[in-house]
Amino acid sequence: MNKYPSRSRRRDFAAPAVSPATTYAGEQALPYVAPALKLAKTLTEGWVRQIDGIQNKAVISNLSSTGTIVDANCDWSSTDSLTLGERVLTLTDLAVMEELCRGTLLPTWAGATGARNSMTAGNPEFVQFALATVAGYTAQGVENGIWQGIDLTTDVVGFLSNDGAFDNAGYRASILAAAGTEASPNTREKIVTAAGFSAANIVGSAGAFHEVYDKAVASCPAILNKPDIAFYCSPKTAGALMQALAAAGSNQGINMLGVNQAFPSLQYLGIPVHVCPGMFDEALILTYEDNLVVGSNLNTDYTSAQFIDAWQYDGSDNVKISMRFGLGMQVAQPLDCVVGAYDAVIGD
């Protein structure tokens, strides 16, 4: 009898039927599953809390308090101010099932590495090149999925959307919005003034950074003392911020450098700005790194990767790369997060 029936069911797919039966599953390539996940920039830079080794679900616990200090007296005067909150991070099973033509990939590999044209697709260096290429593109997909979600039969729910679209429907189904409404939001929401993400306005009193920061001051000022507090934005939004900084002071820029200045790191009012390639344009988040949680099933027996020389078995000219892993997102304290976007996204 199987001692762990729930584990086996997670991989018991109804189709396809295997005929004829075979035990060939390709060459194991498990080391490439971790890069496929961890090369996403948001994860590589450590801009979120990462939890690996999840088999299906994980409970994210957090304590909050309204204050523990009371008048001194001769007895206990507990105010029951501590509240234990729990949020569940659920993994979505994902797969990469790529079929690549040797006739196309071999010349690319030879050109990229300087390999001799006489080398074959069975060469270990070619196998590593194919796996690394697929892992790299998978990492881009993971980066997008963390923020935008992935629209599949079972959606990967991202921090800002569940289907890759930054509209009201996608946002309201996201991790941060969690089916909240404009009147009763799940997080702190700020409708950014029209054109507030443009370079001309982004740092002004009607700009996205000022308005999101002002919302935090009014609604959740305690997060401003967190050591890991940060803004999160897309490269386009970061570009608008850099243009605004370069044009500051009648186009003299910071320290009178104008556009002749480098921005090794961006800040707004001393708060770091994390530029995440997977973020939507015209979206801005202010929270602390530990509040955003990304989970995976790395380091469990639920991940797998194979490199299959299909051309040896089916008469094609293809190689196949398969990867299986799980991914999920959650927010620990929704009310410690400020989301800024235009009315079309946040307004109901």
Side-chain angles (χ1 to χ4, degrees):
M1 174 182 288
N2 188 347
K3 294 171 60 179
Y4 307 104
S6 61
R7 294 188 180 186
S8 60
R9 279 199 296 270
R10 294 190 72 239
R11 293 301 183 198
D12 185 15
F13 298 108
V18 179
S19 179
T22 177
T23 59
Y24 181 72
E27 180 181 337
Q28 285 290 325
L30 279 175
Y32 286 90
V33 177
L37 281 167
K38 296 297 186 179
L39 282 179
K41 185 174 182 180
T42 297
L43 303 183
T44 301
E45 298 290 345
W47 289 340
V48 295
R49 190 191 339 168
Q50 301 175 49
I51 303 177
D52 299 327
I54 302 172
Q55 295 184 358
N56 187 13
K57 297 181 180 181
V59 175
I60 311 300
S61 301
N62 55 81
L63 279 171
S64 60
S65 173
T66 58
T68 59
I69 299 177
V70 298
D71 293 322
N73 54 54
C74 296
D75 205 349
W76 291 95
S77 299
S78 175
T79 58
D80 291 328
S81 62
L82 291 176
T83 302
L84 176 64
E86 291 187 347
R87 300 183 67 83
V88 178
L89 187 155
T90 303
L91 297 184
T92 300
D93 286 329
L94 300 172
V96 174
M97 308 292 284
E98 286 293 316
E99 187 174 48
L100 308 172
C101 178
R102 291 188 304 162
T104 302
L105 199 59
L106 268 172
T108 303
W109 168 60
T113 63
R116 298 191 307 273
N117 289 332
S118 59
M119 289 187 175
T120 67
N123 186 286
E125 293 182 9
F126 172 77
V127 173
Q128 293 176 13
F129 171 78
L131 286 165
T133 299
V134 172
Y137 282 108
T138 301
Q140 293 180 22
V142 170
E143 169 68 23
N144 292 338
I146 288 171
W147 299 102
Q148 303 181 16
I150 306 175
D151 188 13
L152 301 170
T153 303
T154 301
D155 290 337
V156 176
V157 183
F159 287 122
L160 289 172
S161 181
N162 73 326
D163 59 4
F166 197 40
D167 52 21
N168 185 261
Y171 171 69
R172 288 298 169 201
S174 71
I175 291 294
L176 293 181
T181 64
E182 181 182 1
S184 180
N186 184 57
T187 60
R188 315 290 185 177
E189 296 178 353
K190 177 61 182 177
I191 296 177
V192 175
T193 302
F197 282 96
S198 67
N201 302 319
I202 197 165
V203 296
S205 59
F209 278 88
H210 175 83
E211 292 185 332
V212 168
Y213 182 88
D214 192 55
K215 180 69 174 181
V217 171
S219 302
C220 50
I223 72 170
L224 301 176
N225 292 323
K226 296 285 188 179
D228 56 347
I229 187 172
F231 286 99
Y232 295 79
C233 70
S234 72
K236 179 181 178 180
T237 300
L241 175 61
M242 286 188 282
Q243 285 182 293
L245 295 176
S250 300
N251 294 315
Q252 295 304 307
I254 306 300
N255 297 325
M256 306 294 287
L257 290 174
V259 296
N260 186 30
Q261 55 189 314
F263 294 98
S265 62
L266 286 173
Q267 294 185 357
Y268 179 79
L269 297 180
I271 299 176
V273 177
H274 293 338
V275 184
C276 305
M279 279 275 290
F280 288 110
D281 295 332
E282 300 173 345
L284 188 62
I285 295 174
L286 177 58
T287 189
Y288 46 95
E289 295 172 355
D290 202 48
N291 198 31
L292 302 177
V293 186
V294 176
S296 76
N297 58 1
L298 287 179
N299 303 322
T300 73
D301 57 356
Y302 295 138
T303 58
S304 66
Q306 287 87 30
F307 180 90
I308 304 172
D309 289 319
W311 56 275
Q312 297 187 59
Y313 303 94
D314 62 10
S316 69
D317 196 25
N318 300 325
V319 294
K320 297 180 179 181
I321 296 174
S322 167
M323 299 180 184
R324 295 187 181 274
F325 55 90
L327 180 69
M329 278 63 69
Q330 191 51 269
V331 57
Q333 287 278 16
L335 294 179
D336 282 354
C337 182
V338 182
V339 179
Y342 286 139
D343 182 70
V345 176
I346 292 180
D348 293 330

